[in-house]
Amino acid sequence: MQMTERVYQQNSYNYETEAKIVKIDNNRVILDRTIFYPTSGGQSADTGNIDNYRVIDVKNEDNEIVHIIDRPFKLPENNEELGKVHLKIDWEHRYDNMQQHTGQHLLSAVLLKLLHAETVSSHLGTNYNTVDVSVPMELNDEAINKIELYANSLIYNRIPVKSYFPSSNELNSLILRRKPKVKENIRVVEIEGTDITPCGGTHLSNTVEITILKIIKAEKYKGMYRIYFLCGRKASLHYLENYRTLVQTADFLSVPLKEVPLRTKNLMDKSIDQSKLINSLKGKLAEFKIDTILKNMLKINTFYFLYDVNNIESNNDETLFLEQKDILKHLKKLPAKSILLFLEINRKKLPAKMTLSIKTFPSNSNQKISALYILDNIISKYNGKGGGSKKYARGIITIKNDTPSPEMILKTIENILRKQ
Ligand SMILES: [Zn+2]
């Protein structure tokens, strides 16, 4: 079987060339030579064009490189140049891969040199790259900082990067960072004086082209550490995005950039103090409410009717709004056969809505009149919705032209109780 000549292994900067068709099978094309890198070794495939066909995937199958194109390939009729095609890869995507991939070699070399950390696997992703490393120590912020600074100093040192196929004798004399995954045709990538590792991917010819290496974060992963990082254009976009976020935050806070952390902490502390104050005010409000509820208690036949009316017109009202459980906490000693109504009128959004919660007390008593019976009477009268049980029922009514008013609801319940 004829093997495709892999032009990208000799020159990863070659983005446009000619090739001959060896085999066509529908939308699968095999060429005598190619600049298209197939998906392998954690690096994504190149995209681009073969003539005017779009290359959507490139695969390595039995040592042949298969180009998957967007539609079945048709040979032109009576063409003297039959079988000759023009190849062009998407350079931006390839160059990005070269930056991320060379950066990964550099990062793995620095991790080994500074921390004796071995790279177990690596992945070059669309949004970020990762290396999984076994580190014989805790990886703290200080260690991460040191690695990042050292890797970037090697970038500024403009170190040449080369790739070659050593003879077996040469190979024996090389100190490789990791063992090769293949047995023959072993290609090595060397960052001079820094790192030698077997790899079939596409790389830059000098570390300076990585431009920036940024470690995003490191987290524990399956007994190892997973380090997230970005290089080149992606790293600079990441910096830019974070810088914009910081500028926006500083604008909101009206402080210079470097004062953002302290100002944020002060605001958080203040917010905690205010929450404490609100809770203490709510406690006082609850006591006041209970007094009012008990003072307004009505005795109707054998029943005791208690109610609480709340108006919510703005967010401020909501901050000081007492939940039913806050009130109930303080309403323990009630006479037998008590009926409790919580009425909430919310005018924050139109149309205004009225929420009714009806409770019978004590909840284990065998009252003749149930919470649901009272609610059903009211919502059927005012076109409301709701449901519940003997002990607790809840419903919502839309208020139209101020109908019903809280007074109307109270009167309706009084009438129900009087008829019992
Ligand atoms: Zn590589």
Side-chain angles (χ1 to χ4, degrees):
M1 191 181 276
Q2 189 181 358
M3 284 212 319
T4 316
E5 183 195 340
R6 298 167 189 232
V7 179
Y8 57 82
Q9 287 195 330
Q10 293 127 38
N11 180 4
S12 54
Y13 292 82
N14 186 343
Y15 61 88
E16 198 167 9
T17 193
E18 306 281 316
K20 274 186 185 159
I21 294 173
V22 172
K23 196 178 164 194
I24 297 169
D25 178 10
N26 201 17
N27 67 334
R28 293 160 55 90
V29 180
I30 296 175
L31 306 166
D32 65 334
R33 60 200 299 271
T34 190
I35 48 174
F36 282 88
Y37 181 83
T39 306
S40 58
Q43 183 182 325
S44 63
D46 279 316
T47 52
N49 279 78
I50 296 178
D51 285 347
N52 58 357
Y53 294 89
R54 191 77 193 138
V55 177
I56 51 175
D57 199 9
V58 189
K59 294 175 180 176
N60 193 354
E61 291 181 1
D62 300 328
N63 274 329
E64 286 296 1
I65 292 175
V66 182
H67 306 78
I68 313 291
I69 51 175
D70 60 346
R71 56 191 191 276
F73 195 92
K74 267 190 189 165
L75 283 171
E77 283 171 30
N78 304 322
N79 190 336
E80 285 178 14
E81 291 286 310
L82 185 73
K84 208 169 181 188
V85 283
H86 185 80
L87 317 183
K88 191 173 180 182
I89 57 166
D90 295 331
W91 175 243
E92 201 173 299
H93 175 247
R94 156 67 69 82
Y95 195 66
D96 175 57
N97 265 341
M98 285 158 68
Q99 283 187 316
Q100 310 308 324
H101 200 145
T102 313
Q104 182 263 308
H105 284 231
L106 189 70
L107 178 61
S108 290
V110 172
L111 281 160
L112 189 64
K113 185 183 163 87
L114 297 190
L115 300 181
H116 308 288
E118 211 174 298
T119 299
V120 179
S121 63
S122 64
H123 177 74
L124 307 179
T126 315
N127 297 320
Y128 47 74
N129 315 305
T130 57
V131 283
D132 293 342
V133 288
S134 60
V135 190
M137 57 184 275
E138 283 282 310
L139 204 50
N140 55 22
D141 287 351
E142 197 191 336
I144 292 286
N145 245 342
K146 218 166 95 180
I147 289 162
E148 191 177 293
L149 282 174
Y150 190 66
N152 281 288
S153 74
L154 295 178
I155 291 172
Y156 313 140
N157 282 352
R158 308 177 64 88
I159 306 170
V161 182
K162 58 184 182 185
S163 58
Y164 50 97
F165 292 87
S167 67
S168 54
N169 273 347
E170 273 179 300
L171 195 63
N172 286 336
S173 68
L174 295 176
I175 300 167
L176 301 178
R177 177 162 48 78
R178 63 171 173 81
K179 283 185 187 149
K181 285 173 186 162
V182 289
K183 293 213 166 91
E184 50 190 12
N185 283 328
I186 295 164
R187 179 176 182 255
V188 297
V189 175
E190 180 174 347
I191 302 174
E192 272 180 21
T194 308
D195 187 53
I196 307 174
T197 196
C199 187
T202 53
H203 306 84
L204 301 165
S205 62
N206 193 296
T207 57
V208 78
E209 288 186 70
I210 300 171
T211 64
I212 316 170
L213 189 148
K214 175 71 198 147
I215 296 178
I216 313 292
K217 62 175 178 178
E219 60 189 24
K220 285 186 178 163
Y221 177 76
K222 290 184 179 174
M224 298 179 286
Y225 274 97
R226 173 162 283 186
I227 299 174
Y228 295 76
F229 70 100
L230 288 174
C231 300
R233 188 203 293 258
K234 275 183 180 156
S236 82
L237 287 175
H238 180 82
Y239 272 112
L240 192 65
E241 202 177 294
N242 283 345
Y243 181 72
R244 281 199 192 118
T245 307
L246 186 59
V247 169
Q248 264 178 9
T249 314
D251 271 359
F252 284 141
L253 299 172
S254 301
V255 293
L257 295 193
K258 62 180 179 184
E259 282 175 30
V260 167
L262 186 62
R263 175 57 69 93
T264 310
K265 192 187 173 298
N266 288 345
L267 281 176
M268 292 300 291
D269 290 348
K270 203 172 163 188
S271 156
I272 290 166
D273 288 347
Q274 282 176 342
S275 296
K276 282 181 189 160
L277 180 65
I278 287 172
N279 281 338
S280 123
L281 286 174
K282 275 189 173 178
K284 291 206 168 75
L285 188 63
E287 284 168 26
F288 174 74
K289 278 237 164 185
I290 305 300
D291 281 351
T292 315
I293 289 171
L294 291 173
K295 211 189 281 170
N296 292 340
M297 182 167 70
L298 298 171
K299 181 150 195 312
I300 305 163
N301 288 337
T302 55
F303 301 102
Y304 290 91
F305 177 41
L306 304 100
Y307 58 87
D308 176 48
V309 180
N310 257 302
N311 277 297
I312 296 176
E313 313 233 347
S314 70
N315 288 331
N316 283 346
D317 291 339
E318 223 160 49
T319 313
L320 279 174
F321 176 67
L322 288 175
E323 288 189 36
Q324 291 173 23
K325 62 176 169 39
D326 296 328
I327 298 174
L328 289 173
K329 223 167 31 188
H330 296 83
L331 257 183
K332 276 171 193 159
K333 284 180 190 165
L334 283 179
K337 289 193 180 179
S338 294
I339 288 131
L340 179 60
L341 166 74
F342 287 108
L343 200 59
E344 182 194 309
I345 298 139
N346 196 329
R347 294 184 196 276
K348 262 174 71 185
K349 274 189 203 157
L350 289 176
K353 294 249 188 328
M354 180 184 271
T355 310
L356 302 101
S357 305
I358 302 165
K359 262 180 172 289
T360 55
F361 274 88
S363 54
N364 58 357
S365 76
N366 248 336
Q367 296 217 35
K368 267 204 320 197
I369 191 152
S370 81
L372 186 60
Y373 174 78
I374 298 172
L375 181 79
D376 279 345
N377 261 281
I378 299 168
I379 59 176
S380 62
K381 198 169 171 182
Y382 298 107
N383 276 328
K385 279 189 280 185
S389 67
K390 272 173 127 180
K391 298 166 193 168
Y392 178 72
R394 192 166 183 274
I396 295 180
I397 299 168
T398 305
I399 302 174
K400 290 170 193 156
N401 301 324
D402 264 2
T403 306
S405 67
E407 292 74 24
M408 288 161 119
I409 300 291
L410 298 177
K411 208 80 214 156
T412 308
I413 296 179
E414 275 184 57
N415 287 337
I416 295 166
L417 296 177
R418 272 186 217 292
K419 282 184 204 152
Q420 299 304 310

